[in-house]
Amino acid sequence: MKLTRRNLLMTTAAATTAAAQEAPKPAAPAKPRTPAWPGSCRAFRGDALREIAFPLGGIGTGTVSLGGRGDLRDWEIFNRPNKGGLLPFTFATLRLAGGGLAKPVIRVLERRPLPPFGGASGVPRETALGLPRFREAVFTGAYPFAHLRFQQPGFPVEVALEAFNPMIPLDTDDSGLPVALLTYRFTSRAASPLEAAVAFSLMNPVGYDGATRLRGRRAPFFGANLNEFRAERDLRGLLLTSQKYPPDSARYGSLAVLTTAGDVSWRLAWEHGGWWDEFQKWWDEFLLKGRFSNAASKASPDATTEYATLAAHFPLGPGETKRILFVLAWHFPNTENYWTQEKENRGRPLRNWYGSRFASAFDPAAYAARNFQRLRERSARYRDLLHGSSLPPAVIDAVSSQASILRTNTLMVMENRLTLAFEGCNDNAGCCPMNCTHVYNYEQALAHLYPDLERSMRDTDFLTNLRPDGSMSFRTPVPLRQGGNRNQPAADGQMGCVMKVYREWRLSGDDAWLRRLWPQVKRALEYAFVQWDADRDGVMEGEQHNTYDIEFYGPNSMMGTLYLGALAAAARMARHLGDTVAATSYEALFQQGGARLDQLLFNGEYYVQKVDEKQERAGRYQYGEGCLSDQLLGQWFAEVVDLGKLLPHEHLRAALRSIFRYNFRASFEDFPNTQRLYALNDEAGLLLCSWPRGQRPALPVVYSDEVWTGIEYQVAAHLIYEDLIKEGLAIVQAVRDRYDGARRNPWNEIECGHHYARAMSSWSLLTALSGFAYSAPHQELRFRPRIQRAAFRCLFSTGTSWGGYSQSLTKEKLEATLEVEGGTLELASLRLPYLGVKPGLRAPFKGAVTLQQGELAIRPAAPLTLKPGDSLRVAVSDSPLP
Amino acid sequence: MKLTRRNLLMTTAAATTAAAQEAPKPAAPAKPRTPAWPGSCRAFRGDALREIAFPLGGIGTGTVSLGGRGDLRDWEIFNRPNKGGLLPFTFATLRLAGGGLAKPVIRVLERRPLPPFGGASGVPRETALGLPRFREAVFTGAYPFAHLRFQQPGFPVEVALEAFNPMIPLDTDDSGLPVALLTYRFTSRAASPLEAAVAFSLMNPVGYDGATRLRGRRAPFFGANLNEFRAERDLRGLLLTSQKYPPDSARYGSLAVLTTAGDVSWRLAWEHGGWWDEFQKWWDEFLLKGRFSNAASKASPDATTEYATLAAHFPLGPGETKRILFVLAWHFPNTENYWTQEKENRGRPLRNWYGSRFASAFDPAAYAARNFQRLRERSARYRDLLHGSSLPPAVIDAVSSQASILRTNTLMVMENRLTLAFEGCNDNAGCCPMNCTHVYNYEQALAHLYPDLERSMRDTDFLTNLRPDGSMSFRTPVPLRQGGNRNQPAADGQMGCVMKVYREWRLSGDDAWLRRLWPQVKRALEYAFVQWDADRDGVMEGEQHNTYDIEFYGPNSMMGTLYLGALAAAARMARHLGDTVAATSYEALFQQGGARLDQLLFNGEYYVQKVDEKQERAGRYQYGEGCLSDQLLGQWFAEVVDLGKLLPHEHLRAALRSIFRYNFRASFEDFPNTQRLYALNDEAGLLLCSWPRGQRPALPVVYSDEVWTGIEYQVAAHLIYEDLIKEGLAIVQAVRDRYDGARRNPWNEIECGHHYARAMSSWSLLTALSGFAYSAPHQELRFRPRIQRAAFRCLFSTGTSWGGYSQSLTKEKLEATLEVEGGTLELASLRLPYLGVKPGLRAPFKGAVTLQQGELAIRPAAPLTLKPGDSLRVAVSDSPLP
């Protein structure tokens, strides 16, 4: 059944059902008219701005970050991380004249600097921090949007900045643009007309290696840098190139800055001179003349580059508001394989995906400028559905902010969308390469937001990295190589990958894809029978390398639940594909394994490890009687993919409660930790492991005393799945409190590296709180909100579609609305909560409704197909619906 | 006349004079019984601790700094700067047992860390910041002493730390010890006896290059590192060596840590292991056993080193206080010439002075431990005389803190006490080499505190760097080379050097030394007649290279006053040496030049520059009509060395007032500066130049918009010399407010580098406020306090002696006391202030007193010789003295 467009649906009398009917009511929850953003966001100011670096960039394009003060920092657009990387003299400046001003005023569009101000020769002058700035700024961020309000008492203009890079779920193309869109907004407080100009200055960085600290425009890798002005009908801007490098060089590329402003002036190269002359002359020209010369320029001498400025000029009447858009775009199409240890591959250039889509930085800049309204609206819709949802602010913050990871240098996308993912980023290099199976066990954001890239990783896992013996290389050498590397496989990673195939298949419904992978999936699963579960009792006991970079010896529920989850997932896939023999065998082993694991390891409070003391290396780095935060990792994953319980439910709940009770600390002030330091002083956080009953091994599992946000979110989400809401939210709040802008950057959670992929487990907070599940093979969508059920709203992404869900729920009635924003939602079944006993349905389709254990199953007579803009509203009630 | 010892003097009836007499009175100002320190010091806590790094080290030995939290940071003991340099796992820890404690507690003797806590993998674990620390600390510093009080509510022991390196004026040997003396003080708050232990852990760093960031005990330069325990009758400690390097290698050396505690245990190498095992086992051993194993150790495998621990054990009864001394000492005898651009000399090892005095780090450690009380008392006496003086706290702070520069890597002392001084320190290298004549124009601390080293610099200036044509190499190549380098001479530096010879001679009275240099001094001065003052009118007009790293063209009073000062100084030296021809000619030129300079350049408010437009390069970097803060630099120097006025007094005062009025800014918030950034936001400071009447050149004198503390102190002192006290103190306060611990390190003023030598101009604040002057040739000492004259106290250092001066002054009476703490003070004449009209003297010697313009001249019948411990008290009154 094809549904009508939203407007049509809203105004027509809808189809009847077997049950009662009801007219649409304005009281029903609907798309919020006023987005909650930025109401749900933290506002940062003063000291809390110091660590903020909000990444602006598309998937696989690298990023430049917006600092808390409005500065551009951490230039990571050169195909590698670059924490602290600064482009000299790259900043935007406002000039005002007229409006009753005695003389022109110039102010850099940033907050003034925060201490410390040390440094061998003072604050580096190439920051341009010597120019006047605003006294304070208030930063709010709702990824992908950052917003800054600048404050300066008595300043004749109100100034704000909105910065973002388009992010639209499922739309990998438009979410993969190498641009930063900066919109400065000016509102005059002056009594008479002002003449305003915004000058965007930047260094031509083409040739930069992305790692050296730049202190000016001189460096050996520069030379033949050329800045050109380009005007097209609706756009004016600068293209910054270099003629020094051929197109296949890793140093080759371009930068562009464009504006849609009508009146511009520009300077293609700051006037040269000794000492401080270049900057002084630039200042004098802008201050005194107010416009730049528009003079021609030529390529720079070797080992030097040029600074350039593009200025937009506009009048601003009293009370008037104007917006000036600057599109900053880049194009560095060749990634250098700097990370491999293999001599023959080191330094080999690789073409990246975005590089192959565009010819120069001008192309994506122009595309983004011309499609600005659409890109902004779609991105804002994603933002508003998430930030306007009923989730607690800390959860929204965790889900929203950590989705940024997939658009940092942690994730590389190469030609043909081959997805290569580091675990995270060191200051100047990805760390550790590549597609690590066990770290990516935790990540759930990419799978739901950009499942095409997630499937690319599965292809690599199973079609390239799986060896003939069924073991999987748990890292990916580049270039890809059949069988991957020679390291031992990771038990958790390999089992997790089987579950991930199940997830990807459920979200895509792509049977052909599943069939292609299936023989390899079986081989990967059955490798466990050889290596880890040699006695084939459904419980691993062999040497189990895992995400703690060590081996577990003997049964443990972390590997155990992943193994059970893999068996359960594989059984379902086998049934679907008609592989009955496999299905039956997996199901049997699943049953046997679950019972045995529970019997072996549950100590009344939680699941322990039975260390296999016979193993030579089992004397170290085991957790034994400890309470491991990851002890139910497989069960958590099973919740996300709706696989059901792997172990007795009450034991699972008890174990979760124990994890919270024993591993969550309100303070680390008196906690001695010889390991790595992610929580300090009076910060709160969740330990990886504790030994509440004593018997802590002298040399316990490594990382036991650490605090990893990826595991914190995993446990928090799992607590929430079990309706232990308060506990789950306490953990999430603790994480976000640690990332408060003064201590750490809210948009960069660290573990072994910045922007660490494990933190994308935060997406499961959204699925847990909304009770979201989607099975594309069954075209079944479920919501089971766990908070604020009376009036609940959330974002969803099924992998094929995304949009908003909202419900109002009373004792006797459910009203629910589904709005599709992108993709296509095929719907044969909708499962929703219900508190009544006699459900009668009113919906714009014919269908049946059944109630089981407080959950409705609404089945249209024929599957529905919802497209972007479609809205589906259903009402179910014990009373007759009007 | 030989004076008696202090005690004797105080109790004997003293000699009579021609005038009246008076018995000693307790009311007279005397050595303060309770030192004012730390009352006059700023107390830092919280955020203000962040930037603090208090250097601990002797002259020419390098330093390790005490961080504001009590941590050891910036390990600059390897013959080069090393900002941020950390020695992994080097920290002190307290363990307490008994005392009613349920179980032992361990706490690192540091405050807990301050945010931010970012970093690619969290806060680096080798900081040991994972162990419990104290919640707060209060840091006070009165160089060379740092004091920390640790705060932790409910902790059973009060803990404090005193850290210093001996600093005794004129005693270069005992002020040149490569040690840091750390005394931890513990006072029990427990009701029953405690068993306490302090464990000092450190890495054996021998082989370290002093620049690489260390992340653990593995690095290519390590190997064959050996830690040994040594006990001598009164000392126990560890000696850390390496057998990898021969004694002439720059990597050769040793470290030692000693204690005078009686009961010790130790670990020569932390037990090895994977992952975090070494630190975990160390923790467990200390926590559980409370003592270390004292096991033997052997040299480390190549590319690794070892951690070691020395623990002092002691019982602590209820209410009892105990002090535990740790002496940290180092011995890295070979400096590598890393700074030269000359290929043939680069990397060449040079033997440093302290290296040649000791055989290993154990020697200075044992020396310092055995002489601890004396070294501490003498150093504390220096501290107390300065910090207990009547100077305003900001001035004490400026004088005291910046004297530390001469004990940082800015100043190197090589074999035979050859003094090689950088301008300052970059993060990992001195900057810029070496003995820069013009930067060292401003420095006055070394000259007064360690004049032997200052004279070494003069020897190099005149006996090595002066070329046959009379031009002086304004930098010193290493190894020394006759004629220095080939660069043009600096006009200000060369003239300043003539004044400095005069200063050194005045302070030493060493005629033989003066005679040795005199022909060269004349040659250097007379080079001006050729190069800078070709028309020989006493005013420079040629190309004048100077401390702004550019050339002035045309007459200006900055070079002009230095030239006049050099002429005046040279004339006096010539007269003294009987070189009448030269004296007469210099005097004549001085007279002529002063008149001409004033006439040419005084604009009614201040002295301008008459730019010589005919010079090809005079279109840039001149100051023209500007008001230059350094415009009276030569006059300031003349005040310090008591040379009198070089220009009309009222014009000098007017110019000084103008400098303050036009160049001192209360805020930099709206000040655009394209140059380097030393003052930001709402900070106050003194610009190098301004153009109050307009006519700022398009490209003005470089650095004009900067703020240099060395010039700020120079101007402040000069204002004070002219009794413009309020203005002078406002500048000093502004500097110290910028260095507030949160913004910048109070013990590290930056210009072109850390610990920049120019800042040692702060010593002239002391001479200005006390009106101190000493002429050794005339054995004449003068005080002319400019504040708090009714009851004034101060430190003095004549170059041959040091001690305290105090006075009480009423309308009719002066009581003054001179106490000599070190050296020998020869006294033929004492000039002191007096408000009466009929001075009658009571003093322990026969002598005459005359009064002229409010200043007494007291002349003993025979010169007095005051030795350490001697105290001289005089009283002068209009009334008959009892």
Side-chain angles (χ1 to χ4, degrees), chain B residues 172-185:
Chain B
T172 310
D173 282 355
D174 277 347
S175 304
L177 297 173
V179 299
L181 303 174
L182 306 167
T183 306
Y184 293 96
R185 190 190 67 205

Side-chain angles (χ1 to χ4, degrees), chain A residues 593-724:
Chain A
R596 181 155 171 72
L597 192 73
D598 185 68
Q599 181 209 347
L600 269 175
L601 305 180
F602 190 70
N603 73 356
E605 286 191 296
Y606 55 86
Y607 289 92
V608 299
Q609 176 195 12
K610 291 284 173 214
V611 179
D612 181 357
E613 309 282 2
K614 297 187 301 292
Q615 295 271 3
E616 192 187 344
R617 295 166 60 202
R620 298 187 169 203
Y621 315 141
Q622 308 300 299
Y623 67 95
E625 300 300 309
C627 180
L628 189 74
S629 281
D630 263 343
Q631 65 183 272
L632 300 179
L633 181 61
Q635 181 62 61
W636 163 78
F637 204 126
E639 299 293 348
V640 176
V641 297
D642 205 25
L643 264 178
K645 305 300 172 192
L646 310 177
L647 290 167
H649 195 180
E650 276 318 303
H651 290 181
L652 290 171
R653 286 178 59 84
L656 277 168
R657 279 206 186 87
S658 296
I659 291 170
F660 183 78
R661 181 182 312 128
Y662 296 128
N663 294 357
F664 185 69
R665 294 186 64 88
S667 168
F668 281 77
E669 191 172 19
D670 289 317
F671 182 79
N673 175 13
T674 66
Q675 306 173 9
R676 293 174 306 175
L677 308 174
Y678 303 107
L680 290 161
N681 300 350
D682 50 6
E683 296 181 321
L686 186 79
L687 289 173
L688 260 67
C689 194
S690 71
W691 285 264
R693 302 176 171 199
Q695 302 183 58
R696 175 182 159 121
L699 300 173
V701 58
V702 295
Y703 311 133
S704 60
D705 301 335
E706 300 184 6
V707 169
W708 296 357
T709 68
I711 291 181
E712 290 178 292
Y713 292 139
Q714 180 266 111
V715 169
H718 200 176
L719 284 160
I720 291 166
Y721 271 116
E722 288 293 352
D723 288 310
L724 299 164

Side-chain angles (χ1 to χ4, degrees), chain A residues 107 120 135 277 621 669-670, chain B residues 107 135 277 621 669-670 753:
Chain A
R107 213 162 272 265
R135 201 170 288 173
D277 299 359
Y621 315 141
E669 191 172 19
D670 289 317
Chain B
R107 214 163 270 266
R135 202 171 288 173
D277 299 0
Y621 314 142
E669 192 172 18
D670 290 315

Side-chain angles (χ1 to χ4, degrees), chain A residues 107 113 117 120-121 125 130 135 275-277 280 620-621 669-671 673-675 677 681 703 743 753, chain B residues 107 113 117 120 123 125 130 135 275-277 280 620-621 669-671 673-675 681 703 743 751 753:
Chain A
R107 213 162 272 265
F117 301 138
S121 290
R125 63 181 285 276
R135 201 170 288 173
W275 293 99
W276 332 120
D277 299 359
Q280 183 70 55
R620 298 187 169 203
Y621 315 141
E669 191 172 19
D670 289 317
F671 182 79
N673 175 13
T674 66
Q675 306 173 9
L677 308 174
N681 300 350
Y703 311 133
R743 301 162 196 248
Chain B
R107 214 163 270 266
F117 300 138
V123 175
R125 64 181 283 278
R135 202 171 288 173
W275 292 98
W276 331 122
D277 299 0
Q280 182 69 54
R620 299 187 168 203
Y621 314 142
E669 192 172 18
D670 290 315
F671 182 78
N673 175 12
T674 65
Q675 306 174 8
N681 299 350
Y703 311 133
R743 302 162 197 247
E751 191 192 305

